[in-house]
């Protein structure tokens, strides 16, 4: 019978692309609304179109692909919905740089329409790049449903939500304090501001009390903002300053009069107990200012330079102003002291520029009411975090949430659907530009700003399925089952999808949030450009194959925890794939039929067959349970250990004599078992290593289609051989013990030796496994006794549970050769001792050589004497044996 076999050498570069094309051509990734199946849905966190696949993506996508392939094999209608994100700030920055470099123009010189053409060109050129890279990893997404956060459907969803929330009073436009990036020149939400510990100072400054010789002393980390102070606040309970409340201070430098107010915001035990209030430049001061109806004075431009309200400092950068201001205050005698102080500084998540709190007209979402159902949904278990501890991060963010600033001073993004009347300043929110304002004017202009990237991403689980239309896909696949994400974007994205899904769909967007950690380098450092420690997953795929990379990212990975990436593990996992490849080749080369008589096979299963079938059954049950609990690292480790150790290292070696023997029934039982277990191995391993498992599946006997849609293995009672498992464990322990004794004695594998086993409880097991000692323990004969008798006195022994094993020394050792070897060893040691004793008996050496050199020679002498003692004892023993 002719059979297609695997190539002699495992080379993933030769077949991974071919396998992926095969899946795509046969539509194995496609999912449709199907009332005959239960849906299972994952939406891919959309990577930015500016991006290239990095190790974080590789981990995130591998975990999702494992889950989707597992569920697809279990019979679910499994949809993994892919897409990419327009990434407002990141993309605009890239396009601005490209236009300036290639055309020598700023975006303003180019104009909005032309700039947006360039941005769409960028999307077409680079947006497909990361998709191609995802396919290299093996992502089994339904690419026919691929979406983009600014495609027509998503844009329709965004406009619909904006208008609904505006009409219901959740979205408003207001002049409020926001986070401002002076470099990107746009507002940022709280989630887009990262915080870093930086070395700074507290500047203690005196503010004179009007018509008095008295001063109050304030302490600030941002003295340049004092030019916009409109009050100084004290604790209402602070007796030190109660006489000053209501009085007036003279603000230094600008000589403006400002009041002393009492507000519980002030902590009397922190600093001096007096706090400068700058409503236009500090979020807490802004709230204090609203309570006390204070003036809001902005002293900086959007580039963080001082404006006309800053007087003599106008035009200076904020830090230059700080230096000059402190110098002037010092000359005026108003600088009390400078105290070093480390503090958290907000920086832009995109460009790392220090963010400046700033008063600005922006669009906001009222969050307090929207947050409540999102909190409740996790508390009542509608959505569960894996691991559970991350619900604390979620609650903390939502319970302390402030209104969300959603407008961005950019051109690339979803433009805000609001129109302003030049005649009466009316704001009209509408899908299309109105023909005229209610005042009759048709002089209307659309808001120049776009929406925060996360506004469209917040709608991803339902906008991608066709909402606001009631599509069959939306009805069937929503809510989704699992969101797989890193812990670093829980507040960026998870929170917003939760309240958006609950508000628009009336249901949570996903049942589980499976949180993973970061991929760090082998030293535990975060991978970054600045450290130069990033590893390109595409290079690893090119060199070792996608399967080895996926296996490395999954092995040892536990939910929520960071993992270290070691290249040695990639090599080890490639070696694992190679071992499976060679094991398969061995099975196929010995296979001379496709079909077996199952009843005949069942009647001829021996101890090893029943053991491996029972172990397979247990592994199937445990791995399935692990995957259901998102314990992917534990699952893959069990599959790995079963394949490498039990199937390859033990079972294949155990059955070899039967494959080469004359007993046809025994041979068929072995071959059928080999194939049965191998097929289940391929299924269990497929979610983790999809390419090699598919390539092998295609050459296996009696298989059709693809392993990607093969039935997931289930626990089968007919494979439950508990007693045989215990017996085989005893046999394996005995064989390991014999191997250890032989290794200690330096006995070559080719030298056969008798094995005598005295067994009580283990008698039946050892008796049943006698034949395996011949193959795997180099036994010339196996004698199994129930009681200890006629055991050679010189036999080496080992003890296992229920039995004692003896190996006659005469069988293990050629005494004359061993004596010859020991005599040579003795002669060599005599030479070494003569040399070292000669040195140590030389007074000049002992007196003049460095102390550590002398000590080294004494240590050598001690070592050689100990070795000589053992050699002499062994020699005497050997000579006595042959007398």
């Amino acid at each position: 019978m002719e059979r297609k076999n695997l190539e002699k050498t495992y080379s993933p570069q030769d077949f991974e692309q071919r396998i992926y094309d095969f899946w795509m051509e046969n539509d194995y990734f496609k999912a449709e609304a199907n009332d005959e199946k239960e849906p299972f849905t994952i939406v891919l966190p959309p990577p930015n179109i500016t991006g290239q696949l990095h190790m974080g993506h590789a981990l995130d996508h591998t975990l999702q692909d494992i889950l989707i392939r597992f569920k697809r094999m279990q019979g679910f209608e499994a949809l993994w919905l892919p897409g990419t994100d327009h990434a407002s700030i990141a993309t605009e920055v890239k396009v601005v740089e490209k236009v300036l470099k290639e055309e020598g123009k700023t975006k303003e010189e180019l104009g909005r329409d032309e700039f947006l053409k360039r941005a769409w060109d960028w999307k077409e050129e680079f947006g497909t790049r990361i998709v191609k890279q995802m396919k290299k990893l093996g992502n089994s997404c339904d690419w026919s449903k691929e979406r983009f956060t600014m495609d027509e459907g998503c844009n329709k969803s965004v406009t619909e939500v904006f208008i609904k929330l505006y009409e219901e009073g959740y979205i408003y436009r207001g002049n409020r304090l926001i986070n401002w990036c002076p470099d990107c020149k746009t507002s940022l939400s709280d989630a887009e501001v990262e915080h870093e510990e930086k070395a700074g100072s507290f500047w203690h400054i005196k503010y004179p009390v009007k018509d008095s010789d008295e001063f109050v002393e304030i302490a600030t980390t941002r003295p340049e903002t004092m030019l916009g102070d409109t009050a100084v606040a004290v604790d209402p309970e602070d007796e030190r300053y109660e006489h000053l409340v209501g009085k007036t201070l003279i603000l230094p430098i600008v000589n403006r009069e400002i009041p002393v107010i009492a507000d519980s915001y002030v902590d009397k035990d922190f600093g001096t107990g007096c706090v400068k209030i700058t409503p236009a430049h500090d979020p807490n001061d802004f709230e204090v200012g609203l309570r006390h109806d204070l003036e809001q004075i902005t002293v900086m431009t959007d580039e963080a330079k001082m404006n006309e309200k800053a007087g003599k400092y106008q035009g200076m950068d904020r830090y230059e102003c700080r230096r000059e201001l402190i110098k002037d205050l010092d000359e005026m005698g108003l600088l009390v002291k400078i105290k070093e102080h480390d503090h958290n500084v907000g920086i832009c998540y995109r460009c790392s520029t220090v963010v400046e709190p700033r008063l600005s007209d922006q669009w906001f979402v009222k969050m307090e009411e929207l947050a409540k159902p999102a909190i409740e949904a996790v508390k009542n278990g509608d959505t569960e975090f894996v691991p559970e501890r991350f619900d604390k991060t979620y609650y903390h963010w939502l319970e302390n949430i402030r209104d969300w600033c959603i407008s961005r001073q950019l051109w690339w993004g979803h433009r805000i659907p609001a129109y302003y009347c030049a005649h009466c300043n009316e704001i009209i929110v509408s899908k299309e530009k109105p023909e005229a304002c209610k005042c009759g004017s048709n002089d209307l202009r659309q808001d120049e700003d776009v929406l925060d990237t996360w506004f469209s991403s917040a709608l991803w689980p339902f906008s991608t399925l066709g909402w606001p239309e009631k599509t069959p896909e939306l009805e069937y696949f929503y809510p989704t089952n699992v969101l797989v994400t890193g812990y670093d974007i829980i507040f960026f994205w998870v929170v917003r999808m939760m309240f958006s899904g609950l508000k628009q769909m009336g249901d949570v967007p996903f049942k589980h949030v499976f949180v993973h950690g970061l991929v760090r380098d082998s030293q535990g450092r975060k991978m970054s450009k600045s450290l130069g420690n990033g590893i390109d997953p595409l290079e690893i795929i090119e060199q070792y194959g996608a399967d080895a990379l996926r296996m490395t990212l999954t092995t040892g990975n536990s939910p929520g925890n960071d993992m270290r990436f070691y290249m040695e593990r990639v090599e080890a996992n490639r070696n694992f794939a190679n071992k499976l490849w060679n094991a398969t080749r061995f099975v196929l080369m010995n296979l001379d039929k496709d079909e077996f008589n199952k009843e005949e096979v069942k009647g001829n299963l021996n101890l090893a067959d029943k053991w491996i079938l029972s172990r397979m059954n247990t592994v199937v049950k445990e791995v399935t349970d692990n995957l259901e609990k998102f314990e992917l690292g534990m699952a893959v480790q069990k599959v790995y250990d079963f394949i490498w150790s039990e199937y390859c290292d033990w079972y294949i070696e155990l059955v070899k004599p039967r494959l080469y023997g004359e007993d046809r029934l025994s041979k068929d039982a072995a071959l059928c078992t080999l194939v049965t277990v191998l097929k289940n191995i391929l299924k269990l391993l497929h979610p983790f290593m999809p390419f090699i498992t598919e390539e092998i599946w295609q050459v296996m006997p009696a298989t059709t289609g693809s392993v990607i849609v093969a039935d997931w293995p289930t626990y089968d009672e007919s494979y439950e051989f508990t007693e045989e498992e215990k017996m085989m464990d005893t046999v394996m322990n005995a064989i390991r013990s014999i191997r250890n004794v032989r290794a200690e004695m330096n006995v070559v594998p080719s030298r056969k030796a008798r094995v005598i086993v005295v067994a009580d409880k283990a008698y039946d097991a050892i008796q049943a496994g006698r034949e395996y000692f011949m193959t795997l323990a180099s036994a010339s004969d196996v004698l199994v006794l129930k009681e200890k008798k006629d055991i050679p006195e010189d036999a080496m022994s080992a003890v296992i549970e229920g039995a004692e094993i003896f190996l006659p020394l005469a069988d293990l050792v050629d005494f004359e050769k061993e004596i010859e070897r020991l005599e040579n060893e003795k002669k060599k040691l005599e030479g070494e001792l003569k040399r070292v004793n000669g040195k140590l008996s030389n007074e000049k050496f002992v007196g003049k050589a460095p102390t550590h050199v002398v000590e080294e020679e004494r240590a050598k002498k001690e070592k050689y004497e100990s070795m000589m003692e053992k050699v002499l004892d062994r020699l005497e023993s050997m000579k006595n044996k042959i007398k």
Side-chain angles (χ1 to χ4, degrees), residues 32 62 125 162 202 216 275 336 355 431 474-476 610 629 716 761-762 779 815 821 850:
E32 303 294 344
T62 296
E125 183 179 352
F162 187 94
F202 258 134
V216 297
V275 178
V336 180
V355 167
K431 290 180 183 178
L474 184 65
E475 295 282 331
Y476 182 72
K610 291 178 179 179
K629 293 177 180 176
D716 185 343
K761 293 177 183 176
F815 292 113
R821 186 187 70 79

Side-chain angles (χ1 to χ4, degrees), residues 196-200 341-345 347 352 354:
E196 281 187 0
E197 189 82 7
K198 287 184 180 279
H341 173 69
D342 291 343
H343 59 127
N344 266 329
V345 175
I347 60 170
S352 299
V354 174

Side-chain angles (χ1 to χ4, degrees), residues 4-7 9-26 28-29 135-136 581 690-699 706:
K4 181 188 173 187
N5 209 332
L6 293 176
E7 294 295 328
T9 306
Y10 168 64
S11 177
Q13 295 81 4
D14 294 342
F15 63 81
E16 286 192 348
Q17 186 60 54
R18 170 170 49 78
I19 290 291
Y20 199 89
D21 293 341
F22 163 72
W23 290 329
M24 291 289 287
E25 287 161 10
N26 288 277
Y28 286 124
F29 304 158
K135 291 177 179 179
K136 288 282 185 188
W581 187 270
F691 291 105
I692 186 175
T693 49
E694 184 68 81
E695 181 74 352
I696 293 174
W697 184 263
Q698 293 303 319
V699 299
S706 167

Side-chain angles (χ1 to χ4, degrees), residues 290-501:
L290 291 179
R291 288 196 290 271
H292 295 270
D293 197 25
L294 297 174
E295 186 182 2
Q296 298 166 340
I297 301 174
T298 300
V299 296
M300 289 185 207
T301 69
D302 61 4
E303 293 176 316
K305 290 185 176 180
M306 309 312 292
N307 65 16
E308 70 283 354
K309 297 285 181 70
K312 63 183 279 190
Y313 308 107
Q314 183 177 356
M316 291 184 185
D317 169 83
R318 52 184 163 170
Y319 300 120
E320 183 187 357
C321 172
R322 179 182 294 180
R323 289 191 297 272
E324 292 300 315
L325 179 65
I326 291 301
K327 193 165 87 174
D328 291 344
L329 288 168
D330 193 22
E331 289 174 358
M332 294 167 67
L334 296 176
L335 181 65
V336 180
K337 62 182 175 182
I338 303 172
K339 189 177 179 183
E340 288 185 4
H341 173 69
D342 291 343
H343 59 127
N344 266 329
V345 175
I347 60 170
C348 173
Y349 81 117
R350 278 293 169 198
C351 68
S352 299
T353 301
V354 174
V355 167
E356 195 62 48
R358 186 171 186 263
L359 265 180
S360 182
D361 287 321
Q362 301 287 346
W363 289 90
F364 297 87
V365 178
K366 289 181 183 175
M367 287 307 309
E368 189 175 352
E369 287 305 311
L370 291 172
K372 288 176 183 175
I375 293 169
E376 193 56 35
V378 173
K379 285 189 173 176
N380 66 22
D382 291 341
T383 293
E384 298 174 6
F385 278 86
V386 180
E388 190 180 351
R389 69 178 185 272
F390 283 101
D391 60 11
K392 294 181 180 64
T393 306
Y394 177 84
Y395 292 141
H396 177 76
W397 187 258
L398 279 172
E399 288 166 355
N400 296 280
I401 202 162
R402 297 193 299 181
D403 288 357
W404 174 18
C405 176
I406 55 172
S407 45
R408 298 289 179 272
Q409 289 62 58
L410 302 164
W411 288 352
W412 175 244
H414 295 276
R415 194 166 176 182
I416 292 173
Y419 301 84
Y420 303 98
C421 176
H423 183 69
C424 69
N425 295 323
E426 176 75 10
I427 299 176
I428 307 164
V429 171
S430 171
K431 290 180 183 178
E432 305 290 341
K433 183 178 180 179
E435 290 185 10
C437 176
K438 62 184 180 182
C439 74
S441 172
N442 59 8
D443 188 1
L444 302 172
R445 64 172 180 86
Q446 187 175 356
D447 197 306
E448 293 288 322
D449 292 350
V450 299
L451 288 164
D452 177 10
T453 299
W454 299 100
F455 192 92
S456 51
S457 299
L459 319 181
W460 192 245
F462 53 91
S463 66
T464 51
L465 293 168
W467 188 92
E469 307 301 325
K470 287 192 174 180
T471 64
E473 289 79 16
L474 184 65
E475 295 282 331
Y476 182 72
F477 288 113
Y478 188 94
T480 70
N481 295 79
V482 188
L483 175 76
V484 180
T485 185
Y487 58 66
D488 51 337
I489 60 168
I490 289 175
F491 45 82
F492 268 123
W493 195 38
V494 178
V495 162
R496 287 165 178 165
M497 282 190 288
M498 282 291 285
F499 74 70
S500 298

